[in-house]
Amino acid sequence: MRSESVPSSRDVVFVDGVRTPFGRSGPKGLYAETRADDMVVRVIRELIRRNPDLPPERVDEVAIAATTQIGDQGLTIGRSAAVLAGLPKTVPGYAVDRMCAGAMTAVTTVAGGIAFGAYDVAIAGGVEHMGRHPMGEGVDPNPRFLSEKLVDPSALVMGMTAENLHDRYPGISKRRADTYAVLSQERAAKAYADGRIQPDLVPTAIRTAEQGWGLAVEDEAPRPGTTLEGLSALKTPFRPHGNVTAGNSSGINDGATGCVLAAADVAAELGLTPKMRLVSYAFAGVDPEVMGVGPIPSTERALRLANLDISDIGLFEINEAFAVQVLAFLDHFGIADDDPRVNPYGGAIAYGHPLASSGVRLMTQLARQFGERPEVRYGITTMCVGLGMGGTVIWENLA
């Protein structure tokens, strides 16, 4: 007989999400002289400012992801950023790492705590300053990975795993990948022109020794006017005469994201207006050398857990680490390359992919699309993950 003291599962809702504009990594990028933890602080403060009905002391947890957890991305960044943001010191926090799906995992982890009853409200997000902390900084892979042939040598180089996907799916040509990349750039440009992106960007103070203080107010990475002819001329750095280029891949970027999650009943009690409800989530492992197929099994599992079919999904936010990885997903599920349900605002090929932060960008964009499309009931956020994984979260529209 079940004990009355065991909490029953509660509905978890996404209340609000924001992000900094994403910058290009490197000495000339937006955030070249800005600290990663200060970017997270900006996001947390903006979430509190935008939701005045949420008393800061009601936040029960802060989970922040970073792939490279050293320097200004170390020191248990969820806790340190919460203190720096001025949240009450009674609010705990922690750090998360699942490479590209760090922020997504921060969301699903605190969502489990909310569903179980351990939390009422939580902040989850991610940060990656790839200019300060290049992918793989300080990593020391165990020699057994290669000596015992546990993974293919290409598994540790993301661009090579994308070339492997082109080998596995010969129907996905370079031209098809480039065509998809142009579409992503065009959709991002239209989303900006229509004012769809700006409402969820946090203007972020930046400074350089040369120019002094400034304000980052829009993404630095998009390249409006990108053409198929321009992309076809780009080099293929991961393989001679290959298929993967800087133009049909996401960039190397800096940025931070965050969102407020709550139990549905607590959101109602506080007067918060949730945008979507978490229906199910799943992570899955695949061969690391073809990590880009990860979203396929994770989506199949999430659909199975939700008792849904792919035909029930009205909007898709897929992280565009590489065009080939998105196209493999679309082919598997029988979806056209230019289906208007898929990344309607464009994706990471345009905006960039600051590793651990990207999962919440997907959610924030889906939430805004839900508000514009009340006839759509279900949407998914999904992404491939380094070392051979995929992650998928299914959401229900509350608009």
Side-chain angles (χ1 to χ4, degrees), residues 256-340:
T257 62
C259 66
V260 174
L261 300 166
D265 58 331
V266 175
E269 170 206 330
L270 294 174
L272 302 171
T273 305
K275 298 174 179 175
M276 49 191 190
R277 180 182 73 88
L278 198 158
V279 178
S280 72
Y281 70 85
F283 295 93
V286 297
D287 287 336
E289 53 267 28
V290 285
M291 66 97 196
V293 300
I296 294 172
S298 66
T299 298
E300 289 178 330
R301 184 166 186 229
L303 288 168
R304 191 165 65 248
L305 292 170
N307 198 26
L308 295 172
D309 186 81
I310 198 72
S311 61
D312 295 314
I313 306 302
L315 286 165
F316 297 81
E317 275 292 323
I318 307 173
N319 193 47
E320 297 169 352
F322 301 95
V324 62
Q325 154 252 316
V326 179
L327 295 171
F329 178 95
L330 298 180
D331 282 0
H332 178 85
F333 288 107
I335 300 169
D337 295 5
D338 59 352
D339 191 306

Side-chain angles (χ1 to χ4, degrees), residues 142-200:
N142 193 302
R144 289 181 51 238
F145 277 124
L146 299 183
S147 66
E148 297 182 16
K149 294 183 169 58
L150 299 176
V151 301
D152 187 85
S154 63
L156 301 178
V157 181
M158 296 304 101
M160 292 175 70
T161 70
E163 289 285 8
N164 293 342
L165 269 192
H166 277 284
D167 295 341
R168 177 172 286 199
Y169 297 94
I172 304 177
S173 64
K174 181 178 182 295
R175 184 174 181 84
R176 190 175 158 200
D178 287 347
T179 301
Y180 180 85
V182 170
L183 178 64
S184 180
Q185 295 282 2
E186 290 173 347
R187 286 179 170 176
K190 185 176 189 307
Y192 255 101
D194 294 344
R196 301 288 195 259
I197 302 301
Q198 297 90 326
D200 298 318

Side-chain angles (χ1 to χ4, degrees), residues 122-135:
I123 290 174
V127 64
E128 209 72 52
H129 198 311
M130 299 180 74
R132 282 174 172 249
H133 306 292
M135 190 177 350

Side-chain angles (χ1 to χ4, degrees), residues 339-364:
D339 191 306
R341 298 173 299 165
V342 178
N343 293 3
Y345 295 170
I349 287 173
Y351 299 113
H353 174 30
L355 302 182
S357 69
S358 289
V360 167
R361 178 188 66 78
L362 304 177
M363 295 168 191
T364 299

Side-chain angles (χ1 to χ4, degrees), residues 359-372:
V360 167
R361 178 188 66 78
L362 304 177
M363 295 168 191
T364 299
Q365 290 188 190
L366 179 63
R368 188 152 294 279
Q369 292 155 21
F370 271 166
E372 297 167 5

